[in-house]
Amino acid sequence: MLQKKKEKRTALMGGTFDPIHYGHLSAAQFAAEEFNIDEVIFMPAGFPYFKEKSQVTPGDIRLVMTKLAVKGNSLFTVSDMEIKRQGETYTVDTMDELSRTIGGELFLITGSDAAAGLEKWHEPERLLQLCSVIVVSRPGSDDEWEEFRKTELYKQYEDRFLRLMIPGVDVSSTELRKRAAAGKSIKYLLPEEVENYILKNQIYNKNSLSDFDWEKAKMKLISAVSPKRYKHTLGVVDEAKRLCALWNGDAQKVEIAAFLHDCAKGVPKDIMLDMCRQYGVELDEDTLNNFPVIHQFLGAALAKAEYGISDEDVLNAIRYHTTGRAGMSLTEKIVFCADYTEAGRKDHDGLAEARQLVNEDLDKAVEHILRHTVEYIKENNFTLHSLSEEALNYYRKA
Ligand code: ATP
Ligand code: MG
């Protein structure tokens, strides 16, 4: 007698995965083993309708992290179905599509916190007709689940719910994002490859700029530089903001970089080198022969260690604001130019033209400022920093 072929058992593991962590992976692994699942599909949600769009990391980035996380597990696959779908994405539509494309027996894996909110999902009854729901225990959400068991929806579809108790992994993406943004370690809470990707690409560092404590930074800078220098700084901030609006830059980055660009300028000359050593700033021959530019490198280090800035673009805008460099970012160019064209600068040769150029062509303005700096350095028998020389060659050709 022919035996009926066993139906494939597929489970959908949905989530925002912002980022994916061991809580998700262990829940899926235990569920797959317990219920003989042949394939678990990890599917990062599009823009979840219940989360603010701007607060969710773009889909392609969450997809990369999810792929890195499941690498090497033959039970796990990743799908971009929801990320690709336009408009609102609902689990019921995804499950419907899976039933048409894959068929077999379908499961949905959720933590008990998510399952407890099922009544608020889109068309929960249709969803429960399409699949069984594996409700995995999650630390801290057992009460919510018990509440849900009192609902009509649960009672009506009780046989569709499969409860699974697992050793709790008390980690959440929210906690991971917070830790990463605060520069704290996220080690041992998610796969190492995902951790490295997050750190290398600074996926969650952006937020730390919005946490920048302006009041504290102002107090700090006022006591670190002379009143004259502080006034110049405010002039650079105003000019940088104006250029930022004109050239469509990132206002937050530009404003912070402009504010901190000279934060090391008040360091007394005789302790400048000691401070560099203390903050791990390595100075090459070229820089040691160019004492006036040391403050840009030390400034970047102070911005990081003392003012809590981790955004590399902001740090680079501080790090190269005096010498410039080849291939500057928009933030870097704006701070570099604003330092030269701010309203408080005393009139000198080339300033009027620089002020005109920043409004017309930022690259030309950079070149113009560099050329004038080179002339000034030659006239005064100073040595030119190789970064400025490279920058000038670069912007001459640009
Ligand atoms: P966020 O803090 O951003 O809400 P999260 O950690 O809750 O993130 P989600 O992407 O919202 O992760 O969760 C996707 C699914 O994984 C949900 O069903 C959720 O209940 C489940 N889940 C998440 N973390 C755990 C965990 N630590 N243990 C068990 N299940 C979990
Ligand atoms: Mg969640």
Side-chain angles (χ1 to χ4, degrees), residues 336-351:
F336 178 82
C337 290
D339 191 19
Y340 195 87
T341 56
E342 65 104 352
R345 282 273 184 219
K346 273 204 212 87
D347 199 20
H348 62 79
D349 211 21
L351 183 57

Side-chain angles (χ1 to χ4, degrees), residues 42-333:
F42 283 75
M43 195 180 294
F47 276 119
Y49 61 94
F50 53 89
K51 288 185 182 173
E52 273 272 329
K53 262 189 193 176
S54 61
Q55 290 170 1
V56 180
T57 304
D60 48 354
I61 292 178
R62 289 181 287 117
L63 193 67
V64 170
M65 294 194 284
T66 308
K67 283 183 179 164
L68 288 174
V70 308
K71 235 168 61 183
N73 189 330
S74 56
L75 274 180
F76 292 176
T77 57
V78 178
S79 163
D80 60 3
M81 189 194 287
E82 287 198 359
I83 281 176
K84 274 197 178 149
R85 196 184 297 150
Q86 300 292 315
E88 306 282 18
T89 56
Y90 300 116
T91 307
V92 66
D93 295 333
T94 303
M95 205 49 94
D96 192 58
E97 196 164 336
L98 292 181
S99 83
R100 281 183 282 111
T101 51
I102 300 180
E105 204 169 342
L106 295 174
F107 298 81
L108 173 69
I109 304 174
T110 66
S112 37
D113 63 315
L118 208 71
E119 277 184 303
K120 294 189 208 82
W121 292 24
H122 192 61
E123 299 184 33
E125 299 203 18
R126 187 158 73 94
L127 178 65
L128 288 161
Q129 283 149 20
L130 287 164
C131 67
S132 300
V133 180
I134 302 173
V135 183
V136 182
S137 58
R138 179 174 189 178
S141 53
D142 286 344
D143 292 351
E144 286 169 66
W145 171 247
E146 288 310 318
E147 275 306 303
F148 176 72
R149 291 183 58 199
K150 294 177 190 153
T151 63
E152 277 311 308
L153 183 66
Y154 178 82
K155 284 178 192 154
Q156 197 183 338
Y157 288 92
E158 194 172 348
D159 57 340
R160 295 300 257 172
F161 289 100
L162 308 165
R163 177 76 161 142
L164 177 65
M165 302 306 288
I166 64 166
V169 178
D170 196 0
V171 51
S172 72
S173 304
T174 304
E175 177 69 22
L176 289 176
R177 289 194 300 275
K178 275 195 203 149
R179 291 188 67 83
K184 289 185 182 161
S185 170
I186 51 173
K187 227 176 182 40
Y188 310 126
L189 301 172
L190 74 179
E192 203 172 347
E193 280 197 58
V194 183
E195 180 200 344
N196 290 339
Y197 178 84
I198 291 171
L199 297 181
K200 179 159 168 267
N201 298 289
Q202 307 194 1
I203 305 296
Y204 299 109
N205 289 21
K206 302 182 266 323
N207 295 344
S208 63
L209 279 189
S210 27
D211 294 340
F212 185 66
D213 189 338
W214 274 102
E215 285 318 305
K216 215 163 124 190
K218 279 178 190 163
M219 298 308 289
K220 224 179 166 109
L221 193 66
I222 286 172
S223 51
V225 299
S226 68
K228 193 172 152 216
R229 178 68 43 196
Y230 192 71
K231 189 159 171 263
H232 159 70
T233 294
L234 297 184
V236 176
V237 171
D238 280 348
E239 173 70 345
K241 277 163 80 174
R242 188 184 72 81
L243 295 178
C244 186
L246 194 62
W247 296 107
N248 199 17
D250 183 321
Q252 196 171 43
K253 288 187 187 192
V254 163
E255 193 171 355
I256 296 176
F259 184 72
L260 295 178
H261 81 285
D262 268 349
C263 67
K265 196 82 182 201
V267 174
K269 278 196 177 125
D270 53 335
I271 62 162
M272 193 72 121
L273 294 180
D274 280 341
M275 288 271 280
C276 285
R277 261 189 295 276
Q278 191 188 330
Y279 284 90
V281 181
E282 286 178 21
L283 303 171
D284 57 14
E285 268 308 293
D286 207 0
T287 306
L288 286 167
N289 290 329
N290 259 292
F291 208 83
V293 310
I294 294 179
H295 81 281
Q296 67 175 15
F297 298 105
L298 182 58
L302 291 182
K304 190 171 187 175
E306 302 296 333
Y307 294 85
I309 303 298
S310 53
D311 185 287
E312 271 306 313
D313 192 28
V314 172
L315 295 176
N316 283 335
I318 300 169
R319 190 174 285 129
Y320 302 108
H321 79 265
T322 306
T323 57
R325 64 164 175 164
M328 287 191 273
S329 73
L330 181 57
T331 311
E332 292 176 51
K333 284 190 274 193

